[in-house]
Short mmCIF file of all heavy atoms in Angstrom, two decimals:
data_model
loop_
_atom_site.label_atom_id
_atom_site.label_comp_id
_atom_site.label_asym_id
_atom_site.label_seq_id
_atom_site.Cartn_x
_atom_site.Cartn_y
_atom_site.Cartn_z
N VAL J 1 0.85 -1.19 0.00
CA VAL J 1 0.00 0.00 0.00
C VAL J 1 0.89 1.24 0.00
O VAL J 1 1.79 1.36 0.84
CB VAL J 1 -0.95 0.04 1.22
CG1 VAL J 1 -1.81 1.31 1.17
CG2 VAL J 1 -1.84 -1.19 1.26
N LEU J 2 0.62 2.14 -0.93
CA LEU J 2 1.35 3.41 -1.03
C LEU J 2 0.50 4.49 -0.38
O LEU J 2 -0.63 4.75 -0.81
CB LEU J 2 1.61 3.76 -2.49
CG LEU J 2 2.34 5.08 -2.76
CD1 LEU J 2 3.79 5.01 -2.26
CD2 LEU J 2 2.30 5.42 -4.25
N ILE J 3 1.04 5.12 0.65
CA ILE J 3 0.32 6.19 1.35
C ILE J 3 0.80 7.53 0.79
O ILE J 3 1.97 7.88 0.90
CB ILE J 3 0.53 6.10 2.87
CG1 ILE J 3 0.06 4.73 3.37
CG2 ILE J 3 -0.23 7.22 3.58
CD1 ILE J 3 0.19 4.53 4.85
N ILE J 4 -0.12 8.25 0.17
CA ILE J 4 0.22 9.49 -0.53
C ILE J 4 0.04 10.67 0.42
O ILE J 4 -1.08 10.98 0.83
CB ILE J 4 -0.63 9.65 -1.80
CG1 ILE J 4 -0.46 8.42 -2.70
CG2 ILE J 4 -0.24 10.92 -2.55
CD1 ILE J 4 -1.33 8.45 -3.95
N CYS J 5 1.14 11.32 0.75
CA CYS J 5 1.14 12.37 1.76
C CYS J 5 1.34 13.73 1.10
O CYS J 5 2.40 14.37 1.24
CB CYS J 5 2.23 12.10 2.79
SG CYS J 5 2.03 10.52 3.65
N GLY J 6 0.34 14.17 0.36
CA GLY J 6 0.39 15.46 -0.30
C GLY J 6 -0.74 16.35 0.15
O GLY J 6 -1.61 15.94 0.93
N GLY J 7 -0.75 17.57 -0.34
CA GLY J 7 -1.79 18.52 0.01
C GLY J 7 -3.01 18.36 -0.88
O GLY J 7 -2.91 17.98 -2.05
N SER J 8 -4.17 18.69 -0.33
CA SER J 8 -5.43 18.52 -1.06
C SER J 8 -5.63 19.59 -2.12
O SER J 8 -6.39 19.38 -3.07
CB SER J 8 -6.61 18.55 -0.09
OG SER J 8 -6.55 17.45 0.79
N ALA J 9 -4.99 20.74 -1.97
CA ALA J 9 -5.23 21.85 -2.90
C ALA J 9 -4.78 21.51 -4.31
O ALA J 9 -5.54 21.69 -5.28
CB ALA J 9 -4.53 23.11 -2.40
N THR J 10 -3.55 21.00 -4.45
CA THR J 10 -3.03 20.74 -5.80
C THR J 10 -2.40 19.37 -5.96
O THR J 10 -2.39 18.82 -7.06
CB THR J 10 -1.98 21.81 -6.18
OG1 THR J 10 -0.94 21.81 -5.19
CG2 THR J 10 -2.61 23.19 -6.26
N ASP J 11 -1.85 18.79 -4.90
CA ASP J 11 -1.13 17.51 -5.02
C ASP J 11 -2.06 16.31 -5.25
O ASP J 11 -1.93 15.60 -6.25
CB ASP J 11 -0.31 17.25 -3.75
CG ASP J 11 0.88 18.18 -3.61
OD1 ASP J 11 1.32 18.71 -4.64
OD2 ASP J 11 1.35 18.37 -2.48
N LEU J 12 -2.95 16.08 -4.32
CA LEU J 12 -3.73 14.84 -4.34
C LEU J 12 -4.65 14.69 -5.55
O LEU J 12 -4.81 13.57 -6.05
CB LEU J 12 -4.52 14.69 -3.03
CG LEU J 12 -3.65 14.58 -1.77
CD1 LEU J 12 -4.51 14.44 -0.52
CD2 LEU J 12 -2.69 13.39 -1.86
N PRO J 13 -5.28 15.77 -6.04
CA PRO J 13 -6.13 15.58 -7.23
C PRO J 13 -5.37 15.01 -8.42
O PRO J 13 -5.96 14.33 -9.27
CB PRO J 13 -6.62 17.00 -7.52
CG PRO J 13 -6.61 17.69 -6.20
CD PRO J 13 -5.39 17.14 -5.51
N GLU J 14 -4.06 15.25 -8.49
CA GLU J 14 -3.25 14.70 -9.57
C GLU J 14 -2.55 13.40 -9.17
O GLU J 14 -2.52 12.43 -9.93
CB GLU J 14 -2.19 15.72 -10.01
CG GLU J 14 -2.77 16.98 -10.63
CD GLU J 14 -1.68 17.92 -11.13
OE1 GLU J 14 -0.49 17.52 -11.07
OE2 GLU J 14 -2.01 19.02 -11.58
N MET J 15 -2.01 13.36 -7.98
CA MET J 15 -1.17 12.25 -7.57
C MET J 15 -1.94 10.96 -7.32
O MET J 15 -1.50 9.88 -7.73
CB MET J 15 -0.38 12.64 -6.31
CG MET J 15 0.61 13.76 -6.55
SD MET J 15 1.28 14.48 -5.01
CE MET J 15 2.30 13.14 -4.43
N THR J 16 -3.08 11.05 -6.64
CA THR J 16 -3.80 9.82 -6.29
C THR J 16 -4.29 9.07 -7.53
O THR J 16 -4.05 7.86 -7.64
CB THR J 16 -4.94 10.13 -5.32
OG1 THR J 16 -4.44 10.86 -4.20
CG2 THR J 16 -5.57 8.83 -4.80
N PRO J 17 -4.95 9.71 -8.49
CA PRO J 17 -5.32 8.97 -9.70
C PRO J 17 -4.10 8.45 -10.47
O PRO J 17 -4.14 7.33 -11.01
CB PRO J 17 -6.08 10.00 -10.54
CG PRO J 17 -6.49 11.06 -9.60
CD PRO J 17 -5.45 11.09 -8.53
N LYS J 18 -3.04 9.23 -10.49
CA LYS J 18 -1.84 8.82 -11.23
C LYS J 18 -1.26 7.53 -10.67
O LYS J 18 -0.96 6.58 -11.43
CB LYS J 18 -0.79 9.93 -11.17
CG LYS J 18 0.52 9.59 -11.84
CD LYS J 18 1.51 10.75 -11.74
CE LYS J 18 2.85 10.39 -12.42
NZ LYS J 18 3.80 11.53 -12.35
N TYR J 19 -1.13 7.43 -9.37
CA TYR J 19 -0.47 6.28 -8.77
C TYR J 19 -1.42 5.12 -8.48
O TYR J 19 -0.97 4.00 -8.25
CB TYR J 19 0.31 6.71 -7.53
CG TYR J 19 1.44 7.63 -7.88
CD1 TYR J 19 1.38 8.99 -7.57
CD2 TYR J 19 2.55 7.17 -8.58
CE1 TYR J 19 2.40 9.85 -7.93
CE2 TYR J 19 3.59 8.03 -8.95
CZ TYR J 19 3.50 9.37 -8.62
OH TYR J 19 4.52 10.22 -8.99
N ALA J 20 -2.73 5.38 -8.50
CA ALA J 20 -3.70 4.30 -8.30
C ALA J 20 -3.67 3.30 -9.45
O ALA J 20 -4.17 2.17 -9.31
CB ALA J 20 -5.11 4.88 -8.16
N LYS J 21 -3.09 3.67 -10.57
CA LYS J 21 -2.98 2.75 -11.70
C LYS J 21 -1.96 1.65 -11.42
O LYS J 21 -2.08 0.55 -11.95
CB LYS J 21 -2.58 3.51 -12.97
CG LYS J 21 -3.59 4.54 -13.44
CD LYS J 21 -3.06 5.31 -14.63
CE LYS J 21 -4.05 6.39 -15.07
NZ LYS J 21 -3.50 7.21 -16.20
N ASP J 22 -0.96 1.95 -10.60
CA ASP J 22 0.14 1.01 -10.40
C ASP J 22 0.29 0.51 -8.97
O ASP J 22 1.06 -0.43 -8.72
CB ASP J 22 1.45 1.68 -10.81
CG ASP J 22 1.48 2.00 -12.29
OD1 ASP J 22 1.51 1.05 -13.11
OD2 ASP J 22 1.46 3.20 -12.64
N PHE J 23 -0.43 1.11 -8.02
CA PHE J 23 -0.32 0.72 -6.61
C PHE J 23 -1.69 0.69 -5.97
O PHE J 23 -2.62 1.37 -6.43
CB PHE J 23 0.54 1.74 -5.84
CG PHE J 23 1.97 1.84 -6.25
CD1 PHE J 23 2.34 2.71 -7.28
CD2 PHE J 23 2.95 1.09 -5.62
CE1 PHE J 23 3.67 2.82 -7.66
CE2 PHE J 23 4.29 1.21 -6.00
CZ PHE J 23 4.64 2.07 -7.03
N ASN J 24 -1.82 -0.05 -4.88
CA ASN J 24 -2.92 0.18 -3.95
C ASN J 24 -2.56 1.45 -3.19
O ASN J 24 -1.45 1.55 -2.63
CB ASN J 24 -3.07 -0.98 -2.96
CG ASN J 24 -3.40 -2.28 -3.66
OD1 ASN J 24 -4.24 -2.33 -4.56
ND2 ASN J 24 -2.74 -3.36 -3.25
N VAL J 25 -3.45 2.43 -3.17
CA VAL J 25 -3.10 3.74 -2.61
C VAL J 25 -4.13 4.18 -1.57
O VAL J 25 -5.26 3.68 -1.52
CB VAL J 25 -3.00 4.83 -3.70
CG1 VAL J 25 -1.93 4.47 -4.72
CG2 VAL J 25 -4.33 5.05 -4.39
N ILE J 26 -3.69 5.13 -0.76
CA ILE J 26 -4.58 5.74 0.22
C ILE J 26 -4.17 7.20 0.39
O ILE J 26 -2.98 7.52 0.35
CB ILE J 26 -4.53 4.96 1.57
CG1 ILE J 26 -5.52 5.51 2.59
CG2 ILE J 26 -3.14 4.93 2.13
CD1 ILE J 26 -5.72 4.59 3.78
N ASP J 27 -5.17 8.09 0.53
CA ASP J 27 -4.85 9.51 0.73
C ASP J 27 -5.76 10.11 1.78
O ASP J 27 -6.69 9.47 2.28
CB ASP J 27 -4.87 10.30 -0.58
CG ASP J 27 -6.26 10.64 -1.11
OD1 ASP J 27 -7.25 10.59 -0.34
OD2 ASP J 27 -6.37 10.98 -2.31
N SER J 28 -5.47 11.39 2.11
CA SER J 28 -6.26 12.12 3.12
C SER J 28 -6.91 13.35 2.50
O SER J 28 -7.00 14.39 3.15
CB SER J 28 -5.36 12.51 4.30
OG SER J 28 -4.27 13.30 3.86
N PHE J 29 -7.37 13.24 1.26
CA PHE J 29 -7.98 14.36 0.55
C PHE J 29 -9.13 14.94 1.39
O PHE J 29 -10.06 14.23 1.76
CB PHE J 29 -8.50 13.88 -0.80
CG PHE J 29 -9.08 14.97 -1.65
CD1 PHE J 29 -8.26 15.83 -2.35
CD2 PHE J 29 -10.45 15.14 -1.76
CE1 PHE J 29 -8.78 16.84 -3.15
CE2 PHE J 29 -10.99 16.14 -2.55
CZ PHE J 29 -10.16 16.99 -3.25
N ASP J 30 -9.08 16.24 1.67
CA ASP J 30 -10.04 16.80 2.62
C ASP J 30 -10.81 18.01 2.12
O ASP J 30 -11.39 18.75 2.93
CB ASP J 30 -9.36 17.13 3.95
CG ASP J 30 -8.34 18.26 3.84
OD1 ASP J 30 -8.11 18.75 2.71
OD2 ASP J 30 -7.77 18.65 4.88
N THR J 31 -10.84 18.23 0.81
CA THR J 31 -11.69 19.30 0.28
C THR J 31 -13.09 18.73 0.06
O THR J 31 -13.37 18.13 -0.97
CB THR J 31 -11.12 19.85 -1.04
OG1 THR J 31 -9.75 20.22 -0.85
CG2 THR J 31 -11.91 21.08 -1.49
N HIS J 32 -13.96 18.88 1.05
CA HIS J 32 -15.25 18.20 1.06
C HIS J 32 -16.06 18.45 -0.21
O HIS J 32 -16.70 17.54 -0.74
CB HIS J 32 -16.07 18.66 2.29
CG HIS J 32 -15.52 18.18 3.60
ND1 HIS J 32 -16.00 17.05 4.23
CD2 HIS J 32 -14.53 18.66 4.39
CE1 HIS J 32 -15.33 16.87 5.36
NE2 HIS J 32 -14.43 17.83 5.47
N ALA J 33 -16.02 19.67 -0.70
CA ALA J 33 -16.88 20.02 -1.84
C ALA J 33 -16.53 19.25 -3.11
O ALA J 33 -17.40 19.06 -3.97
CB ALA J 33 -16.78 21.52 -2.11
N THR J 34 -15.30 18.81 -3.23
CA THR J 34 -14.90 18.13 -4.47
C THR J 34 -14.56 16.66 -4.26
O THR J 34 -13.95 16.03 -5.13
CB THR J 34 -13.69 18.86 -5.10
OG1 THR J 34 -12.63 18.95 -4.15
CG2 THR J 34 -14.08 20.25 -5.57
N ILE J 35 -14.96 16.08 -3.14
CA ILE J 35 -14.74 14.65 -2.92
C ILE J 35 -15.42 13.80 -4.01
O ILE J 35 -14.80 12.85 -4.51
CB ILE J 35 -15.21 14.23 -1.51
CG1 ILE J 35 -14.20 14.72 -0.47
CG2 ILE J 35 -15.38 12.71 -1.41
CD1 ILE J 35 -14.60 14.45 0.97
N PRO J 36 -16.67 14.07 -4.42
CA PRO J 36 -17.27 13.23 -5.46
C PRO J 36 -16.46 13.21 -6.76
O PRO J 36 -16.30 12.15 -7.37
CB PRO J 36 -18.65 13.87 -5.67
CG PRO J 36 -18.98 14.49 -4.34
CD PRO J 36 -17.66 15.02 -3.85
N GLN J 37 -15.94 14.34 -7.16
CA GLN J 37 -15.13 14.41 -8.37
C GLN J 37 -13.83 13.63 -8.19
O GLN J 37 -13.39 12.89 -9.08
CB GLN J 37 -14.83 15.87 -8.72
CG GLN J 37 -13.94 16.05 -9.94
CD GLN J 37 -13.59 17.51 -10.18
OE1 GLN J 37 -14.30 18.41 -9.76
NE2 GLN J 37 -12.47 17.74 -10.85
N HIS J 38 -13.18 13.81 -7.05
CA HIS J 38 -11.94 13.10 -6.76
C HIS J 38 -12.19 11.60 -6.73
O HIS J 38 -11.40 10.81 -7.27
CB HIS J 38 -11.39 13.59 -5.41
CG HIS J 38 -10.03 13.04 -5.07
ND1 HIS J 38 -8.94 13.15 -5.90
CD2 HIS J 38 -9.60 12.36 -3.96
CE1 HIS J 38 -7.88 12.58 -5.32
NE2 HIS J 38 -8.26 12.09 -4.15
N PHE J 39 -13.29 11.19 -6.12
CA PHE J 39 -13.64 9.76 -6.06
C PHE J 39 -13.76 9.18 -7.46
O PHE J 39 -13.21 8.11 -7.76
CB PHE J 39 -14.96 9.58 -5.30
CG PHE J 39 -15.39 8.14 -5.18
CD1 PHE J 39 -15.07 7.39 -4.06
CD2 PHE J 39 -16.11 7.52 -6.20
CE1 PHE J 39 -15.47 6.06 -3.95
CE2 PHE J 39 -16.51 6.20 -6.10
CZ PHE J 39 -16.17 5.46 -4.97
N ALA J 40 -14.47 9.87 -8.34
CA ALA J 40 -14.68 9.38 -9.70
C ALA J 40 -13.36 9.23 -10.44
O ALA J 40 -13.12 8.22 -11.14
CB ALA J 40 -15.61 10.32 -10.46
N ASN J 41 -12.47 10.21 -10.30
CA ASN J 41 -11.18 10.15 -10.98
C ASN J 41 -10.32 9.00 -10.47
O ASN J 41 -9.70 8.27 -11.26
CB ASN J 41 -10.42 11.47 -10.79
CG ASN J 41 -11.10 12.64 -11.47
OD1 ASN J 41 -11.90 12.47 -12.37
ND2 ASN J 41 -10.78 13.85 -11.02
N VAL J 42 -10.29 8.83 -9.16
CA VAL J 42 -9.48 7.77 -8.57
C VAL J 42 -10.08 6.40 -8.85
O VAL J 42 -9.37 5.43 -9.12
CB VAL J 42 -9.32 8.00 -7.05
CG1 VAL J 42 -8.57 6.84 -6.40
CG2 VAL J 42 -8.59 9.31 -6.79
N ASP J 43 -11.41 6.31 -8.82
CA ASP J 43 -12.09 5.03 -9.08
C ASP J 43 -11.75 4.52 -10.48
O ASP J 43 -11.43 3.34 -10.67
CB ASP J 43 -13.60 5.22 -8.92
CG ASP J 43 -14.36 3.90 -8.97
OD1 ASP J 43 -13.99 2.97 -8.24
OD2 ASP J 43 -15.34 3.81 -9.75
N ALA J 44 -11.80 5.41 -11.46
CA ALA J 44 -11.50 5.01 -12.84
C ALA J 44 -10.05 4.53 -12.96
O ALA J 44 -9.78 3.51 -13.61
CB ALA J 44 -11.75 6.18 -13.79
N ALA J 45 -9.14 5.23 -12.32
CA ALA J 45 -7.73 4.87 -12.40
C ALA J 45 -7.44 3.54 -11.71
O ALA J 45 -6.71 2.69 -12.23
CB ALA J 45 -6.87 5.97 -11.79
#
C-alpha cells in the first residue's frame, strides 16, 4: 500500500489517480466540496 502524503489543494487531485494505476493507494484528501469528483477520478484509475 502506497500512502500518498500530499496537500489537497493541488497535489492529491493529480497524484492519487496517477499512482492508483500502479499501486494500492490511500490519501487524506479533505476538500469536502470536491470529494465526489476526486472519487470518480481515482475510481476510474
Side-chain angles (χ1 to χ4, degrees):
V1 180
L2 179 67
I3 302 181
I4 304 176
C5 301
S8 296
T10 57
D11 290 337
L12 297 180
E14 295 184 6
M15 295 167 70
T16 307
K18 177 180 180 179
Y19 295 108
K21 297 176 183 177
D22 296 293
F23 296 88
N24 298 316
V25 300
I26 184 167
D27 77 18
S28 57
F29 183 78
D30 67 356
T31 307
H32 291 263
T34 55
I35 285 176
Q37 178 184 336
H38 186 55
F39 181 94
N41 294 339
V42 175
D43 189 51

